[in-house]
Amino acid sequence: MNILNDRLYAKSHEWIKFEDDGTAAIGISDFAQHAMGGIVFVELPEIGDLLEIGKGFAEVESVKSVADIYAPVGGVVREINEELLDSPELINKDPYGMWLVKLEAITEKGELLEAAIYEQVIETEEH
């Protein structure tokens, strides 16, 4: 599995990348997209929605299942990746390039894991 060191991870397999301007992008990890298989549909929140830590904010549907995506931080949706609405399979091709939402006004952060710790979480789940 590919795990990038330039972002943090949630145990529920979302990644978050904080930007210098105080915003953050959120997506799903390579492990998550691989486990789901071919992604065929993505439901995203509306711009301006308030996300709460640990609460579902999006759905990703694959040929295998439907998965809720949980907010690793609290904040306001500044932007959604509209490209995924027409081409959700792009997540399978580039899970770290295909963010779901970008947040601003981040209010709180949940338990975020560095790449090495997240890798240990994945190893535990695989066995």
Side-chain angles (χ1 to χ4, degrees), residues 25-77:
I26 299 173
I28 64 171
S29 71
D30 188 33
F31 177 84
Q33 72 79 25
H34 182 69
M36 291 190 72
I39 295 173
V40 296
F41 179 75
V42 176
E43 181 179 322
L44 299 174
E46 299 290 323
I47 292 173
D49 282 359
L50 179 63
L51 303 190
E52 294 181 49
I53 289 177
K55 304 279 183 175
F57 72 89
E59 277 189 359
V60 176
E61 184 177 334
S62 74
V63 294
K64 294 181 184 179
S65 65
V66 176
D68 286 325
I69 308 302
Y70 300 98
V73 299
V76 176
V77 177

Side-chain angles (χ1 to χ4, degrees), residues 52-99:
E52 294 181 49
I53 289 177
K55 304 279 183 175
F57 72 89
E59 277 189 359
V60 176
E61 184 177 334
S62 74
V63 294
K64 294 181 184 179
S65 65
V66 176
D68 286 325
I69 308 302
Y70 300 98
V73 299
V76 176
V77 177
R78 182 179 90 174
E79 190 177 347
I80 63 169
N81 191 342
E82 294 189 17
E83 186 176 12
L84 294 178
L85 300 176
D86 293 328
S87 303
E89 70 281 358
L90 292 173
I91 295 171
N92 292 119
K93 294 177 181 159
D94 186 9
Y96 296 114
M98 289 293 120
W99 50 272

Side-chain angles (χ1 to χ4, degrees), residues 6 9 18-19 33 36 48-49 53 64-65 75 78 80 88 93 97 102 104 106 120-121 127:
D6 68 344
Y9 299 85
F18 292 98
E19 302 296 339
Q33 72 79 25
M36 291 190 72
D49 282 359
I53 289 177
K64 294 181 184 179
S65 65
R78 182 179 90 174
I80 63 169
K93 294 177 181 159
K102 290 189 178 179
E104 61 187 0
I106 295 169
Q120 292 173 2
V121 168
H127 296 109

Side-chain angles (χ1 to χ4, degrees), residues 7-9 13-17 25-29 95-96 99:
R7 54 204 74 207
L8 298 170
Y9 299 85
H13 305 295
E14 293 84 14
W15 59 259
I16 184 163
K17 184 175 182 186
I26 299 173
I28 64 171
S29 71
Y96 296 114
W99 50 272

